Amino acid sequence: MIKRKVTLEDVRNSISARIKPPFFVRFVGRPAGNLLTPLFYNTGWTANGVTGLRACLSVLAAGLLLLGNYPATAAAGGLFYLTYILDFVDGNIARVAKSTSYWGKYSDGLADMIFLVLCPPAAGIAVWHAGGSPYFIVLGFAGAAACLTSQLARNRLSFFREWMTVQSGPVSDEAEAKLKGVRTVTGWVAAYYVNSSFLAPVLLFVPEYGAALYVIAMIPAQILPEAVWLCCTLTEGRIMLNRSRRSIHEPTDEELQERRDADLPSNSI
């Protein structure tokens, strides 16, 4: 079957108007991604293929940063903005092709993290290798660690929320009411983080000092928002998961019934 060509109008119609994205998503990433989507879709690219391309380009950007020279550093900055735009292309393709999936959402999130985790340490190492302070390495790895720690906390919270819901029912109305304020702050932090992570790689285009400025920018652009997000996640978890559960060491209903049938005291087993 011949696949129908898609147009820019098709792409725009696939996007919900009720979603209000952060500033740079709305006015830079989304419009640019919409323009490129027909080109990728009509030449045979799949959503997962574009996600894989993004991941490879992010790894390449980290490698370029390690080289330490200005052309390579500027090229890494250019690759960030290309992967940023492609982040919208893969989602657009999935919608217009009606191929959205949980795997696509999962792999998309992993691809998002590659630049955030690999590039700050790579830039820090390059600055140090060029004669800079070893603290640039520390700062670069701190940016990566902040991202990974915050992501780990959010993933664990998601897992335990689902586990708790299966075991003992949904989150209570009382807990949901308490969570509103935390989730509002989380939304603000997420919007700030999306915008700050867009702006930080601009510094890679600064001749001679670009990599150093980029690493320093990790403090307001990545470390601080991830730290606040982590605090919000832990607070959300404390409120949401503050419910008693049955220990795996407690006897099951079947075991209790067997004890009763055998007329044995429970402390004798």
Side-chain angles (χ1 to χ4, degrees):
M1 185 177 73
I2 299 175
K3 187 170 64 173
R4 183 181 71 87
K5 301 290 186 179
V6 302
T7 65
L8 179 59
E9 191 64 24
D10 293 326
V11 175
R12 288 172 174 165
N13 290 336
S14 73
I15 302 169
S16 174
R18 73 175 184 276
I19 299 175
K20 304 301 181 185
F23 181 85
F24 289 110
V25 170
R26 185 177 183 182
F27 295 106
V28 179
R30 178 68 69 194
N34 291 349
L35 287 172
L36 285 180
T37 298
L39 172 63
F40 276 84
Y41 182 89
N42 294 332
T43 53
W45 283 85
T46 64
N48 290 334
V50 175
T51 301
L53 175 62
R54 288 173 48 218
C56 293
L57 292 177
S58 294
V59 173
L60 176 59
L64 289 171
L65 285 172
L66 285 172
L67 295 178
N69 58 69
Y70 175 69
T73 300
L79 285 177
F80 168 80
Y81 290 104
L82 177 57
T83 60
Y84 180 84
I85 294 169
L86 292 178
D87 191 13
F88 300 95
V89 173
D90 57 11
N92 288 343
I93 291 177
R95 285 191 302 276
V96 298
K98 301 188 185 305
S99 61
T100 53
S101 67
Y102 290 103
W103 166 252
K105 189 68 173 176
Y106 173 75
S107 59
D108 181 76
L110 291 178
D112 290 342
M113 289 186 62
I114 294 176
F115 196 97
L116 298 174
V117 171
L118 294 185
C119 288
I125 292 171
V127 174
W128 167 76
H129 190 264
S133 168
Y135 286 112
F136 280 98
I137 298 179
V138 175
L139 195 54
F141 276 95
C147 179
L148 289 171
T149 303
S150 181
Q151 286 283 348
L152 175 62
R154 296 200 292 276
N155 289 338
R156 293 293 288 172
L157 176 59
S158 177
F159 170 81
F160 275 94
R161 179 178 61 239
E162 295 300 322
W163 181 42
M164 181 187 74
T165 299
V166 170
Q167 294 288 323
S168 59
V171 179
S172 66
D173 292 339
E174 180 183 0
E176 287 288 0
K178 293 179 180 179
L179 288 169
K180 287 183 179 179
V182 179
R183 287 171 175 168
T184 298
V185 175
T186 300
W188 294 339
V189 174
Y192 170 85
Y193 191 16
V194 169
N195 289 324
S196 65
S197 62
F198 175 86
L199 290 172
V202 170
L203 297 170
L204 294 173
F205 296 105
V206 177
E208 190 174 354
Y209 302 107
L213 293 174
Y214 170 70
V215 176
I216 293 171
M218 287 299 99
I219 298 174
Q222 190 159 311
I223 296 173
L224 290 180
E226 286 285 23
V228 176
W229 203 339
L230 175 61
C231 291
C232 289
T233 302
L234 295 176
T235 302
E236 186 175 352
R238 181 69 180 86
I239 295 170
M240 183 188 304
L241 304 177
N242 189 24
R243 179 189 297 179
S244 61
R245 67 175 180 87
R246 189 171 191 168
S247 170
I248 61 172
H249 298 286
E250 295 180 26
T252 64
D253 293 338
E254 291 79 8
E255 289 172 334
L256 290 173
Q257 185 61 47
E258 289 176 2
R259 291 173 181 178
R260 285 192 290 267
D261 293 343
D263 196 25
L264 293 173
S266 59
N267 60 5
S268 68
I269 298 180

